[in-house]
Amino acid sequence: MSYIPIPDGTLPPLPQVLDAREQRWHARLELARTHQRPVLSATLRLPHLLRLEYQDLLLREAGAFLASLPVVFSRATTDADGPHLLAAIDLDAGEIKRRALHFETSPAGALLDLDVTGTDGLALSRDDCGLPPRPCLVCGQTARECVRARRHSTDEVRAEVERRIHPDLGHASPLRRLAALARLAVEDDVRTHPKPGLVTPRTNGAHNDMDAALLLKSSDALAPYWLECVLAGHETSRKDTHLLLHRLKPLGLEAEQAMFAATGGVNTHKGLVFSLGLACAAAGLILRAPEPAPIPLVQALCREVCLMTTGLVERELATGKEPRTAGERAYLQHGVTGARGEAAAGFPTVRHWALPRLYRDSAAGLDWNSCRAHATLALMAHLRGDTNLIKRGGPEGLQRVNQEAAAALQAGGLTTQDGRARIAALEQTCLDGRLSAGGCADMLALACFLYRFTQTLPEAQELAAAADA
């Protein structure tokens, strides 16, 4: 099975969704007739927006279930109702249903609807098996009743999905939870839509060498690295903060090798290995040695990053040597310090623009995806050191993206028709010029990590409360 591309655009109207479900039912009957075998239908039991955002889960979890079955034929497609998978299986329909019901009791399996249609065209229900209706993912009550009453927001369901696919979010060790937040922040970037010119679950943007599936594969490969960075920071005293970068460098090189091995040589997250690795180490250090003076938590973390990277720009960019990387060329030609400069200054664009946007939009009641999309636009409007943009479009391309992103936000972003039109226009600008704000994508992941660090880790909240006292 391969990654399912979902066409870009707004959510389809209800008649199209209902028509897609009707066609899906007829496809199940036709498959059962053609292969003379029972047919399994797999979908995500999530709100429509989340079905688009988490389409990779369908392939991963349904694939895991099918791996132990004698599959004759399988097809993963998408329609107005989202992604779905059909498979003809050489096994008794009752046995398939029994296994499906068992699989649906697992944490991740509970995110799927696995329906079985026999060769007679009849669907096997939970009632046929003497089982009660499925419980709600969030509260455990009858799922059908919660859906009808709209008891839970999209973000409540999203939080439950995250908990089920990332068990370390509930780990007893705060360090393991911290690493899980970093991994989740990488996924936050990948799953955000729209992100003009960048990869999302619905578009490859200005890239012909990567899609969301590849980025998520890269994220999986990098997961152990975030924990190593957290542990490195936690094992370092504040008086030795300036030495942490030397300890992180070999870990970063190993992480890059793991990334390239997972992606077939495609550079998906090299910049993030640097920036988020520093943030993880600083967060681990802070959890070990809380700041005795009242200082905001994010400011304390970024100060530690500044100490780690003191003199980095001078050592690695202002050397007078022949440039070898895009970052070195951007510095030599345009004086842009890129990711190194952002880190050495304590991630000012994230602190001054992306994080405030996440806090403000979240407080205003926007869903988490919209918050992230607006934070992306804020970064695209204000990040002057995106070396990937400069590499592809020069200073002129960078300036145009800055201006159009700022205009889209000023027009209301996703909350207004004018804002959405301006976002679409920026997307077209990026596609026409093959412009990709890869540095902004890295900073989005970093902003999401810092936001989650202060909002969801109890230990961090205690430090923040002590700082505010």
Side-chain angles (χ1 to χ4, degrees):
M1 293 180 291
S2 61
Y3 169 73
I4 307 172
I6 288 184
D8 197 9
T10 58
L11 295 181
L14 182 60
Q16 290 186 23
V17 173
L18 296 178
D19 183 60
R21 292 177 181 176
E22 179 73 15
Q23 292 183 32
R24 187 182 302 176
W25 171 247
H26 288 297
R28 288 165 63 178
L29 296 179
E30 178 63 21
L31 199 60
R33 184 191 64 79
T34 301
H35 292 276
Q36 288 297 298
R37 300 287 191 283
V39 172
L40 176 85
S41 171
T43 56
L44 292 169
R45 54 188 298 243
L46 301 174
H48 198 290
L49 281 172
L50 294 188
R51 290 202 293 277
L52 303 182
E53 190 174 324
Y54 285 95
Q55 58 174 306
D56 56 287
L57 292 183
L58 177 69
L59 294 179
R60 190 179 74 188
E61 299 304 326
F65 176 68
L66 291 176
S68 62
L69 298 174
V71 176
V72 175
F73 172 87
S74 70
R75 179 180 69 224
T77 56
T78 189
D79 53 30
D81 194 35
H84 61 99
L85 180 145
L86 295 176
I89 301 172
D90 188 16
L91 197 66
D92 176 73
E95 176 62 16
I96 299 172
K97 186 64 177 180
R98 185 190 68 78
R99 296 190 189 187
L101 290 170
H102 176 72
F103 186 79
E104 287 176 344
T105 62
S106 66
L111 304 175
L112 270 60
D113 268 327
L114 299 175
D115 298 321
V116 178
T117 303
T119 54
D120 55 4
L122 298 178
L124 280 70
S125 67
R126 293 175 63 87
D127 186 58
D128 293 333
C129 300
L131 294 174
R134 294 189 75 176
C136 169
L137 285 172
V138 178
C139 67
Q141 298 183 39
T142 302
R144 188 179 297 108
E145 294 177 359
C146 287
V147 171
R148 288 174 178 170
R150 297 186 177 181
R151 289 187 181 132
H152 310 295
S153 68
T154 299
D155 281 346
E156 286 180 293
V157 181
R158 179 186 280 108
E160 184 61 26
V161 173
E162 292 171 353
R163 186 186 70 80
R164 288 173 179 272
I165 65 177
H166 295 301
D168 271 2
L169 289 173
H171 200 279
S173 166
L175 303 182
R176 293 285 291 273
R177 295 201 301 276
L178 195 55
L181 291 181
R183 181 177 185 178
L184 199 52
V186 181
E187 294 186 10
D188 279 333
D189 164 44
V190 179
R191 299 187 191 281
T192 300
H193 181 90
K195 293 201 311 279
L198 295 164
V199 172
T200 83
R202 297 192 230 176
T203 173
N204 295 348
H207 294 270
N208 56 16
D209 60 345
M210 64 180 76
D211 58 18
L214 188 71
L215 290 175
L216 291 170
K217 191 175 181 180
S218 172
S219 176
D220 290 343
L222 292 175
Y225 169 66
W226 310 128
L227 180 58
E228 291 177 337
C229 291
V230 169
L231 293 174
H234 199 64
E235 294 165 0
T236 300
S237 65
R238 270 212 163 86
K239 64 182 180 65
D240 294 326
T241 300
H242 63 290
L243 301 176
L244 246 180
L245 183 62
H246 299 289
R247 183 172 179 183
L248 294 179
K249 277 190 173 181
L251 299 178
L253 292 173
E254 292 177 5
E256 288 180 12
Q257 292 174 359
M259 174 195 73
F260 285 127
T263 63
V266 178
N267 177 10
T268 48
H269 289 114
K270 186 174 180 179
L272 196 58
V273 167
F274 171 73
S275 299
L276 188 54
L278 289 172
C280 284
L285 189 153
I286 287 175
L287 286 187
R288 171 191 172 175
E291 176 64 48
I295 180 173
L297 189 60
V298 170
Q299 183 180 337
L301 184 150
C302 291
R303 187 184 67 176
E304 300 301 334
V305 172
C306 288
L307 291 174
M308 283 185 236
T309 54
T310 300
L312 181 63
V313 170
E314 293 74 15
R315 290 196 307 272
E316 297 193 0
L317 293 180
T319 62
K321 298 179 181 178
E322 186 70 22
R324 297 170 299 172
T325 67
E328 292 172 356
R329 284 190 291 273
Y331 179 78
L332 181 65
Q333 297 170 6
H334 309 291
V336 174
T337 57
R340 295 177 181 88
E342 281 288 310
F347 304 123
T349 312
V350 168
R351 284 187 290 114
H352 296 154
W353 299 105
L355 261 181
R357 191 80 212 192
L358 289 176
Y359 287 125
R360 182 164 60 250
D361 284 353
S362 179
L366 269 67
D367 69 278
W368 182 228
N369 176 71
S370 296
C371 291
R372 297 178 340 234
H374 284 174
T376 304
L377 290 173
L379 288 163
M380 295 177 79
H382 296 284
L383 185 62
R384 304 292 186 255
D386 193 318
T387 55
N388 199 47
L389 262 180
I390 293 175
K391 174 185 176 183
R392 290 183 174 224
E396 299 79 11
L398 173 67
Q399 184 178 25
R400 184 172 181 184
V401 168
N402 290 159
Q403 292 172 346
E404 291 193 25
L409 271 182
Q410 189 173 6
L414 293 173
T415 65
T416 68
Q417 184 175 352
D418 185 26
R420 291 191 294 273
R422 289 178 182 271
I423 293 172
L426 175 55
E427 172 76 18
Q428 194 59 51
T429 293
C430 291
L431 295 182
D432 291 343
R434 306 305 294 169
L435 302 176
S436 171
C440 292
D442 291 343
M443 291 299 102
L444 173 64
L446 178 63
C448 291
F449 171 72
L450 295 176
Y451 179 89
R452 288 181 179 276
F453 176 51
T454 58
Q455 295 292 302
T456 64
L457 200 69
E459 292 80 1
Q461 291 176 336
E462 291 172 9
L463 290 178
D468 292 337

